[in-house]
């Protein structure tokens, strides 16, 4: 139970950091969307957890999943590079 709660907290922190980056910098920086960074962190976590048997790899997996989920709309449309066109700035949600 304790591990589940910690994993959910790490997932939420990843989501929160992804949303903060999107809210404050999404329409200002012309670079990769943050779902790409989330996938990279997720893959690195899987590699460390499965192949190197590092228990903190599971935290990278949940953190990367949270960052990826925060930009799920851009990921579903395969938007990988460029600024976000924000009509209404909203912090919470999936964009």
């Amino acid at each position: 139970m304790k591990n589940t709660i910690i994993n959910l907290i790490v997932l939420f922190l990843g989501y929160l950091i992804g949303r903060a980056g999107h809210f404050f910098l999404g329409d200002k920086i012309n670079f990769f969307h943050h779902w790409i960074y989330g996938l990279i962190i997720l893959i690195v976590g899987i590699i460390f957890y499965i192949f190197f048997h590092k228990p903190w790899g599971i935290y990278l997996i949940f953190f990367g999943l949270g960052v990826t989920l925060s930009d799920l709309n851009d990921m579903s449309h395969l938007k990988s590079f460029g600024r976000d066109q924000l009509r209404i700035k909203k912090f919470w949600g999936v964009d």
Side-chain angles (χ1 to χ4, degrees):
M1 183 69 177
K2 178 182 172 186
N3 288 337
T4 304
I5 292 172
I6 292 172
N7 291 340
L8 287 175
I9 290 171
V10 171
L11 178 85
F12 180 71
L13 286 175
Y15 175 80
L16 191 65
I17 289 173
R19 291 309 304 162
H22 181 80
F23 183 77
F24 293 114
L25 302 173
D27 59 344
K28 294 176 181 59
I29 295 179
N30 194 20
F31 208 63
F32 291 113
H33 287 265
H34 61 276
W35 67 267
I36 294 174
Y37 301 117
L39 278 180
I40 291 170
I41 294 170
L42 182 68
I43 291 169
V44 168
I46 290 171
I47 289 170
F48 274 103
Y49 187 70
I50 292 177
F51 296 113
F52 298 118
H53 306 291
K54 301 290 182 186
W56 50 267
I58 197 78
Y59 299 131
L60 287 177
I61 292 170
F62 278 95
F63 185 80
L65 186 62
V67 172
T68 303
L69 286 176
S70 69
D71 204 22
L72 196 59
N73 188 29
D74 288 341
M75 186 175 124
S76 67
H77 293 102
L78 294 177
K79 294 179 184 176
S80 59
F81 192 84
R83 291 186 174 112
D84 284 324
Q85 304 299 324
L86 300 177
R87 285 178 243 110
I88 300 171
K89 280 189 135 182
K90 58 182 181 176
F91 187 81
W92 297 108
V94 175
D95 184 39

